[in-house]
Amino acid sequence: MEVCLFFFCKVTTRRFEAMTPFVVVLGLALVFGGGQCQEHEVLVAHGSVAVLPCMDESSALSYPTAVYWSRMNGDVMKTVWRREKSGLEFRSVRDQPRANCPVPNFGKGDYSLHITGTTIKDGGKYVCEVEGKTKMVKVFVLRVIRVSFSPAIVVEGSRTEATCDVNPTTPFVKVTCERNGHFISKTGLSNVSQRDAGIWTCQVSSSGLVVETTADLQVKGISTPQDDFSVLYAAVGSSVSLPCLFTDGLIPNTVTWNRTESPRPLPASFDWSLGSAASATIQRVEDGDEGMYTCSGRMQGLTREGIKVQRRMELVVARVLSSSSSSGNGPVTLTCHLSNSDQITSYEWLRVTYGPNDTQTVTSVQKTNSFRIKQVTEEHAGEWMCRYYGKQGVMGNVTYQFHIMGALKNEQSSPGNKTAMVMGLGFLFLVIFLVLFQMYRNYRRKKAILLYPAMETIVHQATTEREQRQQSKAKMTEPCVGDPRSVCV
């Protein structure tokens, strides 16, 4: 009621002669009817479009000849937008006009004020005055909601305060805050980290109205990884990437990588680049590469000496240890070994087989750290995989190639062929022995004959005579060819 009286006092002073009957009628209505000037509340988010709904609620109201929108700044009323009876519109020429009352909607009884790009300073009380055959006046309270951070530039390790601003303020407003979708009760942060970055939401409730506004909090420092300490897993022989991504404001030549808690230098295949993307890569992980690695850099533009930020990453190296007996086909134990297994909750051994077109089939064999093969056969040859799990799920894999020698394969796969091979080799050795023995006997006989030359002549002559007698005897026994009655002598 105080607002209405103040408003009509100003209007009467400005247009007293034209407004005197209306002021008298309104005064009588307030005195005898106990009437009050009702305020309509509007809640909007910072940066959005605010609509103050000034609608025609009287059926007797004709097409208006004048519309006035004013704003109260303390004891002063300032015109926001107006249209005179002549149809002439008045707008601000100093700044780009953000307030507008669409004239085409007047025929529908809609005289709402639209404010684009609402700022926190736009909050306050607005008065809508429509003049036709009768006069309609409405008062609106525009409350603008905004999320702000103090200081505006937030760096890792510093302090910031998130504030949900409501202008104009009121004790009847309920405010709740969320960070990345999770409700928070404390908006003051003494040690800011990358986990505090993201979307902050402020929800305001007043007079049955609920409005949300959001703001993106960006924390300068190392964006990836977010935590100061992280664990990476890699198998021996594989490559691994150590992420280290800085936000804007980094001095590139101050980025350094080193191994902490270890006197060993960086691996030979360790490679990293300068600039905001300072991630490193180990091309081939070897035994001894496990341990703690630190990426550090200095932020400029915030303090004279800058702020140092860093990330620590522990590299855990995984490999498969094989223990077997002295015999080739004895039991073999495969053990999944990690340089640090504190965060590992379970293990699983998998059999990997390959089919046509390099299709891969993975079969679970046993869920233990060690896998024991009682007797090695050809079926065990190929690729075996150890998969290890943590609270977040699968942490990594390490593979092992099981190689079996050809002799062991033949021995295990075909015992019948082995027997046949042994018998064949034995027969071959026997034939060779007999041939060599006969050659030796001939050699000994020849050698013995050469020791007695006269005896050799006698033996040779006797052999020649015996052969001649055998040939003569054969001719006497043969029948004569031609005359069957004759006998050959």
Side-chain angles (χ1 to χ4, degrees), residues 270-291:
F270 191 90
D271 184 29
W272 59 283
S273 59
L274 295 174
S276 59
S279 301
T281 302
I282 302 178
Q283 301 296 338
R284 181 178 176 83
V285 178
E286 303 290 348
D287 287 335
D289 292 344
E290 65 273 4

Side-chain angles (χ1 to χ4, degrees), residues 150-448:
S150 179
I153 300 177
V154 185
V155 187
E156 290 183 15
S158 63
R159 175 181 176 81
T160 188
E161 179 76 21
T163 305
C164 188
D165 302 317
V166 181
N167 183 37
T169 60
T170 174
F172 303 104
V173 170
K174 180 181 178 182
V175 179
T176 58
C177 292
E178 295 181 355
R179 180 182 61 197
N180 295 328
H182 300 283
F183 174 78
I184 56 174
S185 57
K186 184 179 179 180
T187 57
L189 304 174
S190 58
N191 188 11
V192 180
S193 67
Q194 288 294 337
R195 289 195 172 274
D196 298 321
I199 303 300
W200 287 63
T201 303
C202 176
Q203 186 181 81
V204 176
S205 303
S206 178
S207 302
L209 302 176
V210 179
V211 173
E212 288 186 352
T213 181
T214 60
D216 186 11
L217 175 62
Q218 296 182 354
V219 179
K220 288 186 173 294
I222 300 178
S223 59
T224 305
Q226 290 186 343
D227 297 331
D228 178 55
F229 174 76
S230 57
V231 181
L232 305 174
Y233 295 87
V236 173
S238 64
S239 63
V240 63
S241 176
L242 284 68
C244 188
L245 301 179
F246 287 80
T247 58
D248 296 335
L250 170 74
I251 302 177
N253 57 8
T254 61
V255 180
T256 58
W257 277 94
N258 57 71
R259 296 184 70 172
T260 55
E261 303 177 1
S262 174
R264 301 175 182 176
L266 294 173
S269 61
F270 191 90
D271 184 29
W272 59 283
S273 59
L274 295 174
S276 59
S279 301
T281 302
I282 302 178
Q283 301 296 338
R284 181 178 176 83
V285 178
E286 303 290 348
D287 287 335
D289 292 344
E290 65 273 4
M292 196 74 65
Y293 293 78
T294 302
C295 173
S296 60
R298 188 169 296 276
M299 306 293 294
Q300 67 175 357
L302 303 174
T303 60
R304 179 173 299 178
E305 66 278 2
I307 298 178
K308 184 179 180 180
V309 292
Q310 67 178 16
R311 290 292 185 271
R312 296 178 302 143
M313 288 161 271
E314 181 182 4
L315 177 61
V316 177
V317 177
R319 55 186 175 272
V320 175
L321 301 179
S322 175
S323 60
S324 59
S325 59
S326 58
S327 60
N329 60 345
V332 176
T333 302
L334 301 180
T335 303
C336 192
H337 177 75
L338 279 74
S339 58
N340 186 354
S341 59
D342 294 342
Q343 298 186 13
I344 304 302
T345 57
S346 61
Y347 299 84
E348 183 180 14
W349 279 97
L350 305 169
R351 184 74 166 93
V352 182
T353 57
Y354 295 90
N357 300 326
D358 294 334
T359 57
Q360 187 183 72
T361 303
V362 179
T363 305
S364 178
V365 178
Q366 192 172 349
K367 294 185 177 182
T368 56
N369 182 21
S370 298
F371 176 63
R372 188 172 186 270
I373 302 175
K374 296 181 179 179
Q375 187 175 7
V376 179
T377 64
E378 185 182 0
E379 297 178 355
H380 298 103
E383 183 176 337
W384 293 79
M385 178 188 297
C386 175
R387 179 173 294 171
Y388 37 93
Y389 300 84
K391 293 181 180 180
Q392 298 82 8
V394 178
M395 307 301 292
N397 302 314
V398 56
T399 59
Y400 181 79
Q401 291 291 338
F402 213 131
H403 300 287
I404 300 179
M405 298 179 61
L408 179 59
K409 291 182 180 181
N410 294 333
E411 179 183 358
Q412 298 294 333
S413 60
S414 55
N417 293 339
K418 178 180 176 181
T419 304
M421 182 182 65
V422 172
M423 294 180 63
L425 290 176
F427 179 76
L428 178 62
F429 287 140
L430 178 60
V431 171
I432 294 175
F433 174 75
L434 294 176
V435 171
L436 292 176
F437 181 72
Q438 185 63 33
M439 291 175 63
Y440 176 75
R441 288 182 61 187
N442 293 339
Y443 171 75
R444 291 294 298 174
R445 185 179 64 180
K446 182 177 180 181
K447 186 176 182 180

